[in-house]
Amino acid sequence: MPNSEGAMDPSTNNSTKSRYSMIINGSWFDQFRNGSNPWMARYAYSLMFLLTNLLAWVVRDYGPSALTEMKRLKGCEGGKDCLGAEGVLRVSLGCFTFYFALFLSTAGTSKLHDRRELLHSGWWSAKIVMKIALIILSFLVPPEFISLYGQLAHFGAGVFLVIQLISIISFITWLNDCCQSDKYADRCHIHVMLLASTAYVVCILGMILMYIWYTPQPSCLLNIFFITWTLVLLQLMTSVSLHPKVNAGFVTPGFMGLYLVFLCWSAIRSEPPEEKCVHRAETAAKQDWLTIISFVVAVIAMVIATFSTGIDSQCFQFRKKEIQEDDDVPYGYGFFHFVFATGAMYFAMLLIGWNTHHTMKKWTIDIGWTSTWVKIVNEWLAACIYIWMLVAPIIWKSRQAAEIPT
């Protein structure tokens, strides 16, 4: 029986520890074969999230004709064209409510034998029914509330991008610290140089290709600015990283450069189809296949990004535990569900191009000038956060030294 603090009795604790110990020491398949557990749960939540993404896409591309018949949606501003966007927001609202409810119910769970652990790792039939019911109920919400949710989703999607950005920077920093540690420094010296050199070569090659593909004429000043400023940011990050007081090496700015080049490329690719500076395939059939493949890859990448960010709660803990106990949860449940809740807002923004009144073509995702500027600003923010993480310790040390009385 659970006690007043929410923990189970000692016999239950021991059985839980032994069961989870077998799962941890077993194979990847054991995570699924042994039933409900937090390692299996994260994949189940990701699958549910992927299916919700696909449902939102179906509603957007093939739902307006059906949605037109619903009286509650006939007040949609802009008429039939915006019904697809409103349908996406309604699916997103149901998904957001589901994960936010789980966030509230599992936040603060730290031990595997906590009774709230079952809310995260079990009750799957009830959760599936709950999520379906929430999505259905979201289609009964008045249009005014959906419009308000659409505005809120802009902020929630921005929070998701910031969380993802910090998680990526944290991983790159961890990789650099691991390579420079006393344990691996001598062994990984050559590997580090190869990784850094490869990263810089790919960065430069990527920017050269972007100049060729996306600046076919001198009038493409905006694309020229985007690519050139990415090169400037790469140079700035490298200079700060190699400063004697920072001495962070080549690896982190090289990998950050890859991320910035990817964001720049993605931003330019998000420019509207009629933009003459963006190179498009000449044949319609080839373009259709490229569009479909790009859409599928983008959806899968979004789910993977949400999953990987959700299990990376360690990078947001100001005081990390040096010793991980056997009965500690493998990742922060509350943080995991919070990331998926903001991810629900993020996929809505991608499918409607960050504009609730924007009409998107079938099999497209994240297209439009708003999407372009969101990615460009995210790129600039990434560079600023990375540089601040490099210089912040030096500034704090100098301030502490100045406060010490002589």
Side-chain angles (χ1 to χ4, degrees):
M1 295 294 291
N3 58 26
S4 58
E5 296 180 354
M8 308 301 275
D9 58 47
S11 60
T12 305
N13 293 349
N14 292 333
S15 62
T16 302
K17 287 182 181 180
S18 60
R19 175 171 172 263
Y20 284 158
S21 178
M22 292 175 59
I23 296 175
I24 295 174
N25 297 326
S27 63
W28 182 80
F29 179 72
D30 289 337
Q31 297 177 6
F32 298 88
R33 186 182 63 184
N34 286 278
S36 298
N37 60 76
W39 296 272
M40 180 274 291
R42 57 188 183 181
Y43 297 107
Y45 285 119
S46 299
L47 178 60
M48 294 171 66
F49 188 75
L50 172 61
L51 294 176
T52 309
N53 278 245
L54 296 177
L55 174 62
W57 159 69
V58 171
V59 169
R60 186 199 69 178
D61 287 358
Y62 302 99
S65 57
L67 295 176
T68 306
E69 304 302 323
M70 297 181 63
K71 293 181 179 180
R72 288 186 175 271
L73 298 182
K74 286 189 175 180
C76 174
E77 297 179 11
K80 182 178 178 179
D81 288 339
C82 75
L83 288 176
E86 188 167 304
V88 170
L89 290 175
R90 290 177 182 273
V91 174
S92 172
L93 174 61
C95 184
F96 166 80
T97 307
F98 172 76
Y99 285 108
F100 193 74
L102 289 174
F103 159 69
L104 294 177
S105 61
T106 59
T109 306
S110 58
K111 299 296 182 180
L112 289 172
H113 53 74
D114 192 315
R115 61 181 177 182
R116 290 179 298 173
E117 201 277 332
L118 186 61
L119 294 173
H120 174 78
S121 302
W123 298 76
W124 290 106
S125 298
K127 287 176 183 175
I128 293 174
V129 172
M130 175 185 173
K131 187 164 188 179
I132 294 175
L134 288 173
I135 293 176
I136 294 175
L137 289 174
S138 68
F139 281 86
L140 304 178
V141 175
E144 295 78 12
F145 185 83
I146 295 299
S147 178
L148 178 62
Y149 174 75
Q151 299 303 318
L152 180 63
H154 284 84
F155 173 77
V159 172
F160 174 83
L161 286 175
V162 172
I163 294 175
Q164 183 187 53
L165 173 60
I166 295 176
S167 177
I168 291 174
I169 295 177
S170 176
F171 170 76
I172 294 175
T173 304
W174 169 84
L175 179 63
N176 183 66
D177 293 341
C178 181
C179 293
Q180 291 186 346
S181 63
D182 296 336
K183 183 178 180 180
Y184 300 103
D186 295 335
R187 192 190 317 173
C188 298
H189 180 71
I190 297 178
H191 299 82
V192 169
M193 294 303 298
L194 287 175
L195 282 174
S197 301
T198 303
Y200 277 98
V201 169
V202 173
C203 286
I204 300 301
L205 180 61
M207 282 183 278
I208 292 174
L209 291 177
M210 283 193 290
Y211 275 121
I212 297 173
W213 291 340
Y214 304 130
T215 60
Q217 47 194 359
S219 60
C220 300
L221 295 178
L222 188 60
N223 287 353
I224 294 174
F225 169 71
F226 287 161
I227 302 170
T228 304
W229 188 245
T230 301
L231 179 61
V232 172
L233 291 176
L234 175 61
Q235 177 62 41
L236 181 61
M237 291 189 303
T238 304
S239 300
V240 174
S241 180
L242 295 180
H243 192 278
K245 291 185 178 181
V246 177
N247 194 25
F250 283 98
V251 176
T252 51
F255 276 82
M256 277 301 300
L258 289 175
Y259 184 56
L260 296 192
V261 170
F262 167 76
L263 287 176
C264 181
W265 170 81
S266 183
I268 296 176
R269 288 290 299 174
S270 293
E271 293 176 1
E274 62 272 10
E275 177 58 40
K276 296 181 180 180
C277 295
V278 178
H279 177 74
R280 305 289 179 183
E282 295 181 359
T283 62
K286 182 179 179 181
Q287 179 64 21
D288 289 341
W289 277 109
L290 287 175
T291 300
I292 293 173
I293 293 173
S294 299
F295 175 83
V296 173
V297 171
V299 171
I300 294 176
M302 179 171 53
V303 175
I304 293 175
T306 307
F307 170 82
S308 60
T309 305
I311 62 176
D312 190 24
S313 58
Q314 291 291 328
C315 67
F316 294 90
Q317 293 181 1
F318 295 101
R319 301 180 64 180
K320 299 179 176 62
K321 292 182 63 175
E322 296 183 358
I323 301 176
Q324 188 78 8
E325 299 178 3
D326 293 337
D327 59 347
D328 285 343
V329 295
Y331 52 91
Y333 296 162
F335 178 81
F336 179 86
H337 293 298
F338 178 77
V339 169
F340 272 78
T342 56
M345 295 180 168
Y346 179 63
F347 81 67
M349 293 297 103
L350 294 187
L351 288 174
I352 66 176
W354 296 80
N355 189 343
T356 55
H357 305 303
H358 180 216
T359 303
M360 298 275 288
K361 293 184 177 180
K362 291 184 178 181
W363 292 101
T364 58
I365 186 171
D366 209 16
I367 299 296
W369 281 114
T370 307
S371 300
T372 296
W373 281 105
V374 166
K375 293 177 181 178
I376 286 297
V377 171
N378 191 35
E379 175 194 347
W380 299 345
L381 181 62
C384 291
I385 293 178
Y386 172 74
I387 293 174
W388 170 250
M389 291 179 66
L390 293 178
V391 301
I394 300 174
I395 296 176
W396 289 337
K397 288 181 181 179
S398 62
R399 287 184 177 180
Q400 291 175 355
E403 293 175 356
I404 298 176
T406 56

